[in-house]
Amino acid sequence: MSARAGKRGCVNLYDREVKFDEFRQRVRRHTPTTLLPLIASRAREKLPRASWYEAPKVETPWGLAAAARASLLYGSEHRQPATRDDVEPICAAFASLKMLRPQAPIEELRAFFLRTSYQQLTYQSEVGYDVARSVAMFRDSLTAVAPTTLTPDVLAQVLGGTVVEFVGTGWLLFASAMTNDGIFLDEWIDRPQFRDVIADLPAPTLRALIERSFAADIAAQRSDGLAHATDCRADVQREAFAYNPLQSRPLVTLAAGRYVIPSPLLLLRRITTTGIYYAAMAALGPSIGTDLGAVFEHYVGRQLAQVPGARLIPEITYGREHKRTVDWFLILDDMLVLVEVKAPRLTEAARMGDDVELTSDLDRTIGKARGQIDRTAALLAEPPDELIAAGVPTDRPVRGLIVTLEPYYLVHSPLIAPLLPASATLTTTASVHDVEHMVRIARGGVAFADQLRRVQDDAELATWSPLAGVLKGWPEAAGDNPILDQAGDELPWRDQMAARKAG
């Protein structure tokens, strides 16, 4: 990869491959307190996707976020101040990083494309539903499931406030980043224009949430980032894809009451279900995984129940050994969909492309789900009494659907598919984001079964993400998703149209 001179004619760009150490040194020329605000300003300008194709094209959201990370982890205040003209060559160095050797074996190709997907695609999905889901899942489904460990009070302790307060604060900070060049000042909270905000969320609560859940100074960001970078620093090429402390604390405290937001999109990710899910895991430990899984399973059921004309049956326990079926039976007029729900994400090592970890992770998640779907499908030939009593039909084609909390990028591609166990049932893996939009499209008149058939029966589309395949067939599909529309409407000071355009 190489970068060419942009519209400003900057001569300090690269027409060769760059090693990560060189990129890091380019960032370290400048003090973090001067470089981070400049990155924040450019990140705000580069948020609309159309701007990614405008010069300078090297200034991508992921490149800017990587530059902010390098400045936080390795920068020094004993360097020269940055100017606006320094941002482009820094991003050009990142865009020119040496990532893949010529004629690399399949393992290296798989690792490269996985790393790149998890690095870049996070910034490219629409986030309106992802944020509204935080309320619909971690308030409404959490209340309905009522787990013993992860209670609403416990989650509020983790987040520093209720889910609505937490997400609302994130939206406020995002709006500030977009209208104030990536800056937020505490003193604004006391100004008249914040009266409507304070009416929804008292100033002390708002300030406490910012400090508790969103902000950290440079020293704390550096400590967090370096603690996660230990493994990657042994292989500096992998560090280009490493954990960014802005994922956990998207605001950098430059001085008392003065914050900079280097990546507005990472700020939004902080308030999605993924951000909340892993904040709870980090604070409470993996023992709450069962609770989190039950909440997610309930939420997926609520989504599927919105499919027009569908009937939904939950997991059935059957036989003397009290075995369990799939999580949901989605009964359509001309199809029975066996739905298995999986909340865990791939581990960091797997996302980096470690073949051993990747194979193990896929086996315990997607592989396990495929096995459960196949076992349930096999029951339909001679259904046990419990399935008959529940009304599970046996007279229509059977398809499988695995729903994940996060996207499993490339899972259907020729690079990943060979690592998965074979499935006797035609099965698709879809993120909950995909399913939410498929439900919306079904409510707009495109039958859910038709959508599933299209992405499963077409040899090419079967390798895509399900939503991409559906939109290929119905690019103008309309419809609504009442669960998410209602949850989004309840967020304080949220402009619906602006929020959706931001994604």
Side-chain angles (χ1 to χ4, degrees):
M1 292 181 289
S2 63
R4 297 181 179 179
K7 62 183 179 181
R8 292 194 296 274
C10 179
V11 296
N12 194 18
L13 295 182
Y14 301 82
D15 57 1
R16 55 181 172 78
E17 290 185 333
V18 172
K19 293 183 178 181
F20 189 84
D21 282 342
E22 184 177 355
F23 163 68
R24 178 164 49 202
Q25 290 304 319
R26 183 62 188 84
V27 173
R28 291 188 71 245
R29 292 186 194 178
H30 309 292
T31 61
T33 52
T34 60
L35 181 57
L36 291 171
L38 294 170
I39 290 173
S41 175
R42 291 300 291 153
R44 176 191 65 82
E45 295 171 7
K46 283 289 184 178
L47 190 61
R49 194 171 304 176
S51 70
W52 302 358
Y53 305 100
E54 301 170 356
K57 295 181 180 180
V58 294
E59 293 183 2
T60 58
W62 49 91
L64 290 162
R69 174 189 179 273
S71 183
L72 287 168
L73 268 62
Y74 307 114
S76 169
E77 288 303 309
H78 301 292
R79 301 284 179 156
Q80 65 186 26
T83 69
R84 191 172 178 85
D85 287 340
D86 290 309
V87 176
E88 182 182 350
I90 287 172
C91 290
F94 181 81
S96 300
L97 284 174
K98 183 178 180 180
M99 299 293 189
L100 190 65
R101 61 176 174 167
Q103 299 180 329
I106 185 64
E107 294 81 7
E108 287 189 27
L109 287 171
R110 180 163 47 237
F112 168 74
F113 282 108
L114 267 176
R115 295 172 190 175
T116 303
S117 296
Y118 279 95
Q119 177 193 69
Q120 298 184 10
L121 296 183
T122 298
Y123 296 89
Q124 298 187 39
S125 65
E126 184 271 337
V127 296
Y129 276 2
D130 292 347
V131 172
R133 187 189 317 122
S134 295
V135 175
M137 179 172 154
F138 281 111
R139 186 195 63 181
D140 302 336
S141 284
L142 180 63
T143 301
V145 173
T148 56
T149 301
L150 187 66
T151 65
D153 288 342
V154 168
L155 185 59
Q157 292 174 15
V158 170
L159 299 179
T162 67
V163 170
V164 171
E165 291 170 343
F166 175 78
V167 176
T169 298
W171 273 119
L172 170 66
L173 295 169
F174 173 77
S176 176
M178 296 305 294
T179 56
N180 296 288
D181 221 25
I183 298 297
F184 182 81
L185 302 181
D186 177 85
E187 65 187 53
W188 295 342
I189 296 174
D190 298 319
R191 292 184 178 178
Q193 56 264 42
F194 264 67
R195 286 174 182 165
D196 291 341
V197 171
I198 302 307
D200 287 331
L201 187 60
T205 303
L206 176 58
R207 287 187 165 108
L209 272 163
I210 292 173
E211 286 298 314
R212 168 74 179 276
S213 299
F214 291 94
D217 62 22
I218 291 175
Q221 300 271 16
R222 177 172 298 155
S223 177
D224 181 34
L226 290 176
H228 283 82
T230 304
D231 294 338
C232 291
R233 292 174 75 186
D235 178 359
V236 293
Q237 296 310 118
R238 292 179 62 179
E239 196 175 351
F241 307 93
Y243 166 82
N244 192 326
L246 295 173
Q247 295 171 222
S248 298
R249 292 290 186 273
L251 273 65
V252 180
T253 307
L254 297 181
R258 178 179 175 81
Y259 308 97
V260 63
I261 305 168
S263 177
L265 290 176
L266 287 183
L267 168 59
L268 287 183
R269 291 295 162 190
R270 171 69 171 147
I271 59 176
T272 63
T273 44
T274 298
I276 296 173
Y277 185 99
Y278 291 103
M281 289 284 282
L284 303 173
S287 61
I288 64 165
T290 300
D291 285 354
L292 290 167
V295 172
F296 181 50
E297 181 182 325
H298 181 273
Y299 175 75
V300 171
R302 291 172 59 206
Q303 282 294 329
L304 295 174
Q306 297 183 112
V307 174
R311 185 162 60 92
L312 197 64
I313 298 175
E315 176 187 80
I316 299 169
T317 301
Y318 65 94
R320 294 180 179 179
E321 297 179 0
H322 303 289
K323 295 180 179 180
R324 296 180 177 182
T325 65
V326 292
D327 295 319
W328 296 104
F329 297 83
L330 179 66
I331 304 168
L332 307 172
D333 290 340
D334 55 350
M335 183 184 293
L336 172 63
V337 186
L338 305 180
V339 183
E340 187 69 7
V341 178
K342 292 296 177 186
R345 73 190 303 190
L346 293 179
T347 59
E348 184 174 3
R351 296 196 305 275
M352 284 287 189
D354 182 298
D355 256 26
V356 174
E357 290 290 334
L358 178 61
T359 302
S360 175
D361 278 11
L362 290 173
D363 185 64
R364 69 178 173 83
T365 55
I366 307 304
K368 184 177 179 180
R370 283 187 172 188
Q372 186 69 305
I373 288 172
D374 281 348
R375 285 189 293 273
T376 301
L379 291 175
L380 299 175
E382 296 183 14
D385 293 341
E386 292 87 349
L387 269 68
I388 296 173
V392 177
T394 59
D395 60 347
R396 61 205 69 188
V398 177
R399 304 284 179 117
L401 179 64
I402 301 168
V403 185
T404 61
L405 181 61
E406 280 194 351
Y408 274 50
Y409 295 123
L410 307 181
V411 70
H412 297 299
S413 76
L415 286 171
I416 304 297
L419 301 181
L420 287 164
S423 177
T425 310
L426 196 55
T427 297
T428 293
T429 299
S431 71
V432 68
H433 178 91
D434 291 342
V435 171
E436 289 162 346
H437 281 279
M438 291 172 71
V439 169
R440 171 185 64 79
I441 292 168
R443 293 179 60 83
V446 181
F448 194 90
D450 289 343
Q451 296 181 53
L452 200 55
R453 273 190 289 265
R454 180 169 183 82
V455 300
Q456 290 184 336
D457 296 347
D458 185 292
E460 179 183 351
L461 297 184
T463 66
W464 296 17
S465 75
L467 182 58
V470 169
L471 292 178
K472 176 72 173 178
W474 298 278
E476 304 299 327
D480 63 354
N481 191 309
I483 289 174
L484 292 173
D485 293 339
Q486 180 180 350
D489 288 341
E490 293 180 24
L491 294 175
W493 56 81
R494 178 178 185 250
D495 184 298
Q496 291 282 332
M497 293 306 295
R500 295 188 180 179
K501 288 178 181 178

